[in-house]
């Protein structure tokens, strides 16, 4: 199971690297062409925008597993240990329900947009809006993989290895 989780995280990270690289190349080529030939690629801005959307949704799960999203821990810190665990359990359950709802809404929305095409690239909007249900699906998987450690100990996975990291960084800044 640990090997599958490592592979899943690595593939998610590499997908982000590929998307960021593609976006960089497209925008860089467009800038170069604009200044070198006074012409630009008509689809470059659109492609970069859609790659950014995909990166945002597919990268959210990786950030979730390392505790990188905004968190306010005043209430948690004021509770006793058992109360903290119960609160984190309720938060995890609430997140799972919300992420599941967003997958459902995202599938419906993408389905409604399948017959409309983008202006420059002429691809169905289905491929753009599919980022939402896929991204929230990835959030569900990442949350399920870290939920036990988060609920019981209040820890997240470290970015550099498989050891848990504390949910509060030195100086009181949340991770």
């Amino acid at each position: 199971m640990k090997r599958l989780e490592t592979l899943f995280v690595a593939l998610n990270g590499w997908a982000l690297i590929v998307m960021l690289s593609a976006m960089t190349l497209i925008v860089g080529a467009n800038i170069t062409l604009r200044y070198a030939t006074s012409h630009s690629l008509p689809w470059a801005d659109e492609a970069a925008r859609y790659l950014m959307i995909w990166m945002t949704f597919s990268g959210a799960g990786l950030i979730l597993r390392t505790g990188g999203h905004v968190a306010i821990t005043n209430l948690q810190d004021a509770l006793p240990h058992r109360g903290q665990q119960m609160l984190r359990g309720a938060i995890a359950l609430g997140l799972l329900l919300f992420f599941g709802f967003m997958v459902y809404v995202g599938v419906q929305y993408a389905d409604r947009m399948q017959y409309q095409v983008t202006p420059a690239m002429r691809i169905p909007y289905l491929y753009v809006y599919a980022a939402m249900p896929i991204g929230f699906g990835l959030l569900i998987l990442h949350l399920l993989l870290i939920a036990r450690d988060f609920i019981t100990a209040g820890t997240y996975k470290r970015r550099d290895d498989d050891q848990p990291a504390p949910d509060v960084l030195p100086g009181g800044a949340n991770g």
Side-chain angles (χ1 to χ4, degrees):
M1 184 66 176
K2 196 64 148 165
R3 184 174 277 176
L4 262 154
E5 179 180 356
T6 302
L7 178 64
F8 169 66
V9 170
L11 288 174
N12 196 173
W14 277 105
L16 291 172
I17 290 168
V18 167
M19 286 186 270
L20 181 61
S21 299
M23 189 174 78
T24 303
L25 289 172
I26 290 168
V27 171
N30 196 36
I31 291 169
T32 302
L33 285 171
R34 188 178 307 137
Y35 287 106
T37 66
S38 296
H39 294 88
S40 62
L41 302 169
W43 50 268
D45 293 339
E46 193 173 282
R49 182 179 320 117
Y50 299 150
L51 283 167
M52 180 67 76
I53 290 167
W54 269 92
M55 283 189 309
T56 300
F57 280 108
S58 36
L62 287 175
I63 300 302
L64 175 76
R65 73 182 293 113
T66 59
H69 290 288
V70 173
I72 300 171
T73 61
N74 293 356
L75 175 60
Q76 174 184 289
D77 295 342
L79 295 173
H81 180 70
R82 184 70 182 140
Q84 290 179 1
Q85 288 179 329
M86 291 173 57
L87 178 62
R88 288 191 299 263
I91 289 169
L93 180 62
L95 286 173
L96 280 174
L97 291 172
F98 174 71
F99 295 162
F101 175 73
M102 294 307 291
V103 167
Y104 173 75
V105 169
V107 166
Q108 286 186 327
Y109 198 70
D111 187 50
R112 278 183 271 172
M113 300 302 290
Q114 68 181 328
Y115 300 112
Q116 294 184 21
V117 295
T118 62
M121 296 191 315
R122 309 299 296 163
I123 61 170
Y125 272 110
L126 167 72
Y127 299 118
V128 177
Y129 290 108
M132 183 177 167
I134 290 172
F136 277 104
L138 289 171
L139 275 162
I140 289 170
L141 288 174
H142 283 291
L143 180 58
L144 290 174
L145 290 169
I146 67 161
R148 184 172 19 149
D149 289 339
F150 172 68
I151 293 168
T152 59
T155 58
Y156 295 95
K157 299 287 185 179
R158 287 188 189 196
R159 291 177 185 94
D160 54 356
D161 59 24
D162 290 333
Q163 299 301 316
D167 65 343
V168 178
L169 298 173
N174 292 332

